[in-house]
């Protein structure tokens, strides 16, 4: 009998619920307890310390690194699906960052980009956070990003704007420039008004 996405069967005279082929729960556990336990296990995400190191390198004024990408170990090297690690970084700015994300065909990840914003009198570094989920990412992995993003944002904390992108058009240079200008506050330089 199918129930809650699993199978209920009798094994050695006991009623057993098999969920996701690796969950065997003895009868007597309430549905609420089962769902809560499953939800806790699904959201145990580890953000590796290498992500924090990459983040700090992008934020450091004395460093040329201006972007980094973190990704899921299972998407990159067949590792743990609940482990997010540093994957790449560079100093080539927006164009290099977008090219690196575009190369992640079907892989989800999180990007962090340093941009200069403002006018000639108030130029300053601003940061962009991107959750990257290409359209061809499997649906279960796509859905997990919305929950897991909170864990990543505990490490990648300081940014002016955030984008959720499914392709590079979602994070065009024009869109980022507009969003940074809007988030940046007053403009003190030349004005056409």
């Amino acid at each position: 009998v199918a129930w809650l996405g699993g199978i209920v069967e009798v094994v050695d005279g006991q009623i057993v619920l098999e969920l996701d082929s690796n969950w065997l729960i003895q009868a007597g556990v309430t549905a609420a307890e089962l769902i809560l336990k499953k939800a806790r296990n699904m959201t145990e995400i580890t953000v590796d310390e290498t992500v924090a190191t990459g983040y700090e390198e992008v934020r450091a004024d004395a460093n040329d690194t201006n972007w980094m990408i973190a990704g899921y170990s299972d998407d990159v090297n067949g590792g743990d699906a609940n482990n997010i690690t540093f994957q790449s970084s560079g100093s080539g700015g927006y164009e290099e960052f977008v090219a690196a994300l575009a190369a992640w065909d079907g892989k989800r990840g999180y990007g962090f980009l340093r941009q200069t914003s403002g006018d000639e009198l108030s130029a300053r570094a601003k940061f962009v956070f991107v959750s990257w989920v290409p359209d061809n990412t499997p649906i279960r992995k796509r859905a997990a990003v919305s929950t897991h993003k909170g864990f990543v944002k505990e490490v990648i904390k300081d940014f002016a704007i955030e984008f959720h992108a499914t392709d590079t058009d979602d994070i065009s240079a024009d869109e980022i420039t507009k969003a940074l200008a809007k988030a940046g506050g007053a403009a003190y330089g030349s004005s056409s008004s």
Side-chain angles (χ1 to χ4, degrees):
V1 177
W3 181 74
L4 283 178
I7 299 170
V8 175
E9 58 184 305
V10 176
V11 176
D12 295 330
Q14 293 193 5
I15 298 173
V16 175
L17 170 64
E18 182 177 7
L19 187 61
D20 289 340
S21 74
N22 64 355
W23 275 65
L24 295 176
I25 309 292
Q26 297 292 328
V29 174
T30 68
E33 291 169 328
L34 174 66
I35 291 167
L36 183 60
K37 185 172 183 178
K38 179 70 175 173
R40 282 189 190 126
N41 285 341
M42 288 174 47
T43 58
E44 289 180 10
I45 300 300
T46 302
V47 180
D48 192 82
E49 63 188 40
T50 57
V51 175
T53 301
Y55 165 73
E56 292 300 333
E57 285 180 12
V58 174
R59 288 202 43 88
D61 290 334
N63 194 323
D64 289 339
T65 304
N66 54 26
W67 64 268
M68 59 93 49
I69 297 173
Y72 291 80
S73 293
D74 68 326
D75 286 346
V76 179
N77 61 16
D80 184 353
N82 292 333
N83 189 28
I84 299 169
T85 61
F86 172 85
Q87 297 302 318
S88 60
S89 64
S91 57
Y94 169 80
E95 296 296 330
E96 186 180 56
F97 173 69
V98 169
L101 283 176
W104 276 51
D105 189 39
K107 298 175 188 170
R108 60 216 156 119
Y110 304 91
F112 188 61
L113 173 67
R114 177 190 192 100
Q115 291 281 91
T116 300
S117 180
D119 53 41
E120 67 276 5
L121 297 177
S122 63
R124 59 207 171 271
K126 291 289 184 180
F127 300 92
V128 181
F129 177 79
V130 177
S131 55
W132 176 254
V133 188
D135 287 328
N136 60 345
T137 304
I139 192 70
R140 285 184 89 176
K141 290 183 175 188
R142 290 174 64 87
V145 169
S146 64
T147 304
H148 300 169
K149 181 171 42 173
F151 291 95
V152 176
K153 288 166 73 174
E154 289 176 10
V155 175
I156 300 176
K157 304 176 194 187
D158 299 316
F159 48 88
I161 57 174
E162 177 179 345
F163 286 91
H164 177 77
T166 59
D167 67 35
T168 56
D169 291 341
D170 294 337
I171 51 172
S172 70
D174 188 48
E175 288 297 317
I176 289 175
T177 300
K178 285 180 192 175
L180 285 173
K182 187 175 180 181
Y188 298 106
S190 301
S191 169
S192 59
S193 56

